[in-house]
Amino acid sequence: TLPGIAIGLVASIWLPPGLGSAVIGTVLGGGLLWSIAEGYFRLRGREGLGFGDVKMLAMIGAFLGWQATLMTLMMGSIAGSVVGVAMIVLRRGDMKYALPFGTFLAMGAANFIRDNELTFELSKAADKDYAVIEGALHPFTPCRACETTPGQYSNTVKNLFDYASRWITARF
């Protein structure tokens, strides 16, 4: 994962999410999990989170940016909690059972790199729309690296909310 962090940061110089977002994502992802792991160790006197998880979230931050890092952490935590509770309820583990958190982080990150067109096609909804917000990254923030002129895509979040507003107004 350490080479992955370096590759993600270097690639972000030319590719989305951009170097600034990638650096923030790396520091935020790795720092947040490291803080949690360190706090748990000081409180309980034993390791509760492996350093591999810290490096993995830092790598996800390097490739996907800080917004996706936060969502990845949230989605991974929710998925891990559901599985952990299920393990306890089914008596397959207890509160000390170690779940591999990296698996859940990978599931959370996959949300940002999977093909959304496939998700759209597989939807059974009769009333569905597929919207592309030009210049937007996955968290709908502007892609600064994609701009040919400064500020070209600065309105991507507004465009998303305007589209959602029109969609809701037309249906409700």
Side-chain angles (χ1 to χ4, degrees):
T1 49
L2 290 177
I5 294 169
I7 291 168
L9 289 172
V10 170
S12 72
I13 294 170
W14 299 281
L15 301 170
L19 184 59
S21 183
V23 168
I24 293 169
T26 301
V27 172
L28 183 68
L32 196 58
L33 277 190
W34 179 83
S35 297
I36 292 169
E38 184 66 20
Y40 185 88
F41 181 78
R42 289 175 187 256
L43 185 68
R44 304 291 299 251
R46 61 184 170 95
E47 187 178 280
L49 186 67
F51 200 67
D53 300 324
V54 173
K55 294 184 295 184
M56 183 169 184
L57 193 59
M59 183 179 71
I60 289 168
F63 276 98
L64 301 180
W66 69 269
Q67 298 95 336
T69 301
L70 292 175
M71 289 300 295
T72 295
L73 180 58
M74 183 185 74
M75 293 170 68
S77 297
I78 291 169
S81 296
V82 168
V83 170
V85 168
M87 296 286 286
I88 292 168
V89 168
L90 296 173
R91 300 189 188 281
R92 305 261 185 205
D94 58 18
M95 292 294 286
K96 293 184 180 181
Y97 183 77
L99 284 175
F101 189 49
T103 304
F104 302 107
L105 290 175
M107 289 169 47
N111 179 61
F112 293 94
I113 57 176
R114 71 171 179 243
D115 186 356
N116 288 321
E117 291 180 41
L118 177 62
T119 304
F120 175 79
E121 292 299 324
L122 293 175
S123 170
K124 301 294 185 201
D127 180 22
K128 59 185 177 181
D129 288 329
Y130 185 77
V132 175
I133 307 298
E134 183 182 16
L137 299 172
H138 287 285
F140 301 107
T141 55
C143 176
R144 303 281 183 227
C146 305
E147 295 177 338
T148 54
T149 58
Q152 179 180 5
Y153 298 127
S154 62
N155 61 347
T156 56
V157 175
K158 180 186 180 312
N159 289 347
L160 170 68
F161 282 101
D162 287 349
Y163 175 81
S165 175
R166 287 191 305 273
W167 188 90
I168 291 167
T169 302
R171 286 159 179 81
F172 303 102

